[in-house]
Amino acid sequence: MIAEQLTEPLHILLADDDIDDYFFFTKALNEIDIHTKVTRVLDGDQLMKYLYENAENLPDVLFLDLSMPRKTGIECLAEIEINKATINLPIIVLTTSFTQSEHVEQNLKTTLLNMGADKFMRKSEDFNQYKESIHIELMKVLKKKLLLTA
């Protein structure tokens, strides 16, 4: 199995200020058969500081909430994508926002993908669906990481 080929935990950086969303996310991770290490930052300023200070040892993937204090996820995404040190960091955008219409959500997805996000993921209230979505995205990151280290 692919997950068993990993010799060290998959390092996940979660940028999310909501404690309930953090617990929901880590609960999902605990039920997925991939060894992970989670680092959490609470706002956009902390995220950018973390990435700057760890530019030589970036996480394997960033789960980025759009609605954060100090600096939004969109502002952070724009900064990440112009920085040579972080431009290749896989970014999965998480949101509960923008539920007005399918058209608005599709425009948001398109904008975020054009800005450099790898995936747009809704924070689903259906735990099993949310867990499965996280698992699928982590398997993609894991496969890419194993290819790069082979």
Side-chain angles (χ1 to χ4, degrees):
M1 180 170 239
I2 293 172
E4 294 169 349
Q5 295 177 32
L6 194 62
T7 57
E8 56 189 51
L10 198 61
H11 185 189
I12 298 169
L13 178 58
L14 175 64
D16 197 327
D17 62 310
D18 188 295
I19 191 71
D20 292 331
D21 288 342
Y22 170 70
F23 285 127
F24 201 54
F25 184 83
T26 56
K27 182 178 185 211
L29 286 180
N30 288 334
E31 294 188 19
I32 293 171
D33 192 27
I34 299 174
H35 188 206
T36 59
K37 170 190 166 194
V38 178
T39 302
R40 179 177 174 224
V41 293
L42 301 174
D43 63 48
D45 283 345
Q46 284 183 4
L47 170 61
M48 298 316 298
K49 181 180 179 188
Y50 179 91
L51 292 174
Y52 176 76
E53 291 175 351
N54 293 280
E56 298 297 319
N57 190 25
L58 291 173
D60 296 305
V61 61
L62 167 62
F63 282 84
L64 176 65
D65 182 32
L66 284 183
S67 302
M68 292 187 297
R70 295 185 151 166
K71 195 176 282 190
T72 68
I74 291 175
E75 291 171 304
C76 292
L77 185 59
E79 286 185 41
I80 290 167
E81 290 305 308
I82 61 169
N83 184 332
K84 289 180 183 177
T86 56
I87 195 167
N88 293 319
L89 176 64
I91 302 169
I92 300 166
V93 173
L94 298 170
T95 189
T96 53
S97 306
F98 302 99
T99 57
Q100 294 101 351
S101 73
E102 189 174 317
H103 177 73
V104 171
E105 185 167 312
Q106 188 56 48
N107 285 342
L108 176 64
K109 285 180 186 180
T110 301
T111 298
L112 293 169
L113 294 173
N114 287 337
M115 290 180 70
D118 294 279
K119 178 72 176 181
F120 173 89
M121 184 185 302
R122 178 158 300 288
K123 294 178 185 176
S124 175
E125 291 182 14
D126 178 335
F127 178 73
N128 288 325
Q129 179 183 1
Y130 184 61
K131 178 176 68 173
E132 181 62 23
S133 296
I134 291 171
H135 185 256
I136 289 168
E137 294 311 312
L138 289 181
M139 288 302 292
K140 291 177 187 175
V141 170
L142 182 58
K143 287 177 186 175
K144 185 176 177 181
K145 181 176 181 170
L146 290 173
L147 283 174
L148 291 174
T149 58

